[in-house]
Amino acid sequence: MARHAADKFDQRDHAWMREALRLAGRAEAEGEVPVGAVVVRDGQVIGRGWNRNIGLDDPSAHAEIIAMREAGQKLANHRLVNCSLYVTLEPCPMCAGAMIHARLERIVYGASDPKTGAAGGKFDLLLDPAHNHAPAVEGGCLAGECSESLKTFFRSRRKSTVATQVD
């Protein structure tokens, strides 16, 4: 299960998560669920992603997958050894599987996902001992901001759906 403790994150963690939040805003501006992700190695962002599955008509185009694809291309390697991934929402099972295969060193997420989270929210795929790789997983970095971004998005979407039904 992912560790949760507000004081375990440093200024760099907050900076990378703020970049992921900025990318989540880009997803929202494109009509996507506001999730953003960055892959960091040696203090540099090597991959950025935001949810694009609707716009790209691609069910796998989650923020984490896009960020890992960009990082893999930048490194010319499918393994993202010595890399950390920061994402605004706890990864889903699909993304968790890709993270394990990528051999990420560390995964930091903001908001927990009790419905489909694969880092302890619903499942604990990332730390399942059956895997041959176990990244460090830490949840709760800027959790309030990450959670509020998602809540605001879905509240707005529900209001728009109700308004459309009334018209």
Side-chain angles (χ1 to χ4, degrees), residues 87-162:
V87 61
T88 57
L89 179 64
E90 180 180 353
C92 73
M94 174 186 70
C95 293
M99 291 171 184
I100 290 165
H101 289 293
R103 305 292 193 266
L104 287 165
E105 181 177 324
R106 183 177 181 227
I107 297 155
V108 178
Y109 65 88
S112 294
D113 184 352
K115 292 185 179 181
T116 63
K122 179 67 174 179
F123 313 100
D124 205 356
L125 297 178
L126 287 169
L127 297 178
D128 188 314
H131 300 300
N132 62 354
H133 176 70
V137 180
E138 297 173 280
C141 183
L142 300 181
E145 292 176 50
C146 294
S147 180
E148 192 56 39
S149 169
L150 290 156
K151 286 177 185 175
T152 300
F153 173 80
F154 285 111
R155 223 178 278 128
S156 173
R157 185 173 265 188
R158 280 191 295 277
K159 281 182 185 175
S160 133
T161 301
V162 169

Side-chain angles (χ1 to χ4, degrees), residues 66-88:
I66 292 170
M68 286 188 290
R69 283 179 184 153
E70 185 176 294
Q73 289 168 353
K74 190 166 272 183
L75 296 175
N77 195 330
H78 68 289
R79 300 283 192 223
L80 303 177
V81 177
N82 299 319
C83 293
S84 296
L85 184 140
Y86 293 81
V87 61
T88 57

Side-chain angles (χ1 to χ4, degrees), residues 7 9 53 64 84 95 103 143:
D7 61 349
F9 301 109
N53 50 306
E64 303 96 304
S84 296
C95 293
R103 305 292 193 266

